[in-house]
């Protein structure tokens, strides 16, 4: 009887056991990275930065800077002259340029304490391959400018833009009020009573043209309007404390004031049950109307008196007032010819109507 032979192409039991044992080893070998400390693409590549500069790992900053200056003068491409000890560099300007870049890279690596600390850690722990890549590129790609400086400059720029924008709006409001007969007549009367217009005419005799005298009188009227009229809302006179920079600086102070005010409100009106004063009532009304403080302050005094008479700080009264305002607005729009044209256009030609045009 012949001895049975295992068919070709199919491993025996012993072969299968070897494959089972070798598979994890092969996987580890495929995933393993070289454990060499010097890796191409990081810092000085396969060259030691300390050896490039010719210094020891315990060298001070002054020694590193001194070695860099000597090598930089020696290998600068514009004034490189080959020396007897430069056989390894190829004795060419191209090799000198490569040596100069390598010396510069070594100096950039070792002059910074944090980067030098990462480099020394890489030399001592070559097995942490991915960690070295992360530290190297995180420092290399990080912004060089302090983020706090960028934020401060941005806030200052926004504040300057705010100030000039608000000042421009304020001047436009004054110029408009100077054209309104009601305010212009009053300002002119005040200027006459104070003798400002006579002084301007006397100064302008035989010295200024009519246009210059007219401009001076216009400035006098505008200055009187500025001093006599309190403009509120979006066109009010710009204040330094309203700028973004000062709002940020004063934010902790305002936060403390708000907390103290809120605690006092809870204690007086929720715990002790005091009645609301006029200021508190107007505050509640403003919150119901969802208006900012500047918007609410820009309302006329008679409107605020109407709000108080109707007791709009009470939620039920405000809901009735709101419904009345909506009904009144609907009536105005219904009688407005422009609104009628708009509704007619929406019905005949607006969205929701498909038309086909034959060429």
């Amino acid at each position: 009887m012949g001895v049975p032979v295992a068919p070709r192409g199919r491993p025996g039991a012993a072969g299968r056991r070897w494959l089972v044992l070798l598979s994890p080893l092969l996987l580890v070998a495929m995933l393993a990275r070289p454990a060499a400390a010097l890796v191409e693409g990081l810092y000085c590549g396969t060259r030691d930065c300390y050896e490039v500069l010719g210094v020891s790992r315990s060298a001070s900053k002054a020694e590193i800077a001194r070695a860099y200056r000597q090598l930089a003068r020696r290998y600068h491409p514009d004034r490189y002259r080959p020396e007897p000890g430069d056989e390894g560099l190829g004795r060419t300007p191209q090799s000198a340029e490569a040596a100069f870049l390598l010396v510069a890279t070594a100096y950039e690596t070792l002059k910074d304490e944090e980067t030098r600390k990462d480099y020394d850690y890489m030399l001592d722990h070559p097995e942490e391959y991915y960690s070295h890549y992360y530290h190297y590129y995180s420092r290399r790609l990080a912004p060089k400018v302090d983020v706090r400086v960028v934020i401060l400059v941005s806030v200052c720029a926004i504040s300057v833009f705010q100030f000039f924008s608000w000042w421009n709006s304020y001047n436009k409001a004054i110029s408009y009020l100077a054209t309104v007969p009601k305010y212009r007549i009053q300002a002119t009367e005040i200027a006459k009573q104070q003798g400002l217009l006579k002084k301007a005419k006397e100064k302008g005799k035989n010295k200024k043209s009519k246009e210059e005298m007219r401009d001076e009188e216009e400035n006098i009227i505008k200055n009187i309007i500025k001093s006599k009229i309190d403009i509120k809302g979006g066109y009010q006179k710009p204040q330094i404390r309203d700028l973004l920079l000062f709002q940020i600086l004063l934010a902790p102070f305002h936060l403390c004031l708000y907390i103290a005010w809120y605690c006092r409100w809870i204690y007086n009106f929720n715990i002790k049950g005091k009645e609301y004063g006029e200021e508190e009532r107007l505050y509640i009304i403003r919150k119901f109307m969802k208006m900012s403080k500047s918007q609410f302050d820009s309302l006329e005094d008679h409107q605020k008196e109407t709000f108080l008479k109707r007791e709009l700080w009470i939620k039920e009264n405000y809901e009735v007032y709101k419904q009345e305002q909506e009904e009144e607005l609907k009536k105005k729009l219904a009688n407005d010819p422009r609104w009628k044209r708009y509704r007619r256009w929406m019905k005949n030609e607006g969205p929701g109507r498909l038309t086909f045009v034959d060429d």
Side-chain angles (χ1 to χ4, degrees), residues 50 62 81 87 117 175 194 197 249 257 286 301 307 320:
Y50 291 101
R81 298 294 180 271
E87 285 81 1
K117 188 184 298 183
S175 299
Q194 296 178 357
L197 294 180
L249 295 177
L257 288 181
R286 178 169 68 85
D301 292 336
F307 298 158
V320 174

Side-chain angles (χ1 to χ4, degrees), residues 160-177:
V160 171
F161 176 77
Q162 273 185 326
F163 181 78
F164 285 105
S165 177
W166 288 348
W167 193 262
N168 186 39
S169 300
Y170 175 70
N171 287 331
K172 285 184 178 179
I174 295 298
S175 299
Y176 169 74
L177 293 176

Side-chain angles (χ1 to χ4, degrees), residues 96-115:
E97 183 178 358
F100 179 79
L101 293 177
L102 183 61
V103 169
T105 302
Y107 178 66
E108 290 293 330
T109 302
L110 300 180
K111 74 173 184 178
D112 183 69
E113 292 184 1
E114 297 296 328
T115 309

Side-chain angles (χ1 to χ4, degrees), residues 50-88:
Y50 291 101
E51 293 181 358
V52 171
L53 296 178
V55 296
S56 64
R57 288 186 61 173
S58 59
S60 62
K61 281 187 175 182
E63 293 174 346
I64 292 173
R66 192 183 309 115
Y68 166 71
R69 287 194 294 268
Q70 292 175 357
L71 293 173
R73 285 195 298 266
R74 179 180 177 185
Y75 294 115
H76 196 281
D78 294 336
R79 52 183 187 175
Y80 172 69
R81 298 294 180 271
E83 298 181 3
D86 294 344
E87 285 81 1

Side-chain angles (χ1 to χ4, degrees), residues 337-351:
R338 291 177 298 179
W339 177 247
K340 290 181 179 179
R341 287 197 299 270
Y342 173 74
R343 286 187 300 172
R344 193 181 306 116
W345 177 82
M346 288 292 292
K347 179 180 179 182
N348 298 329
E349 319 221 354

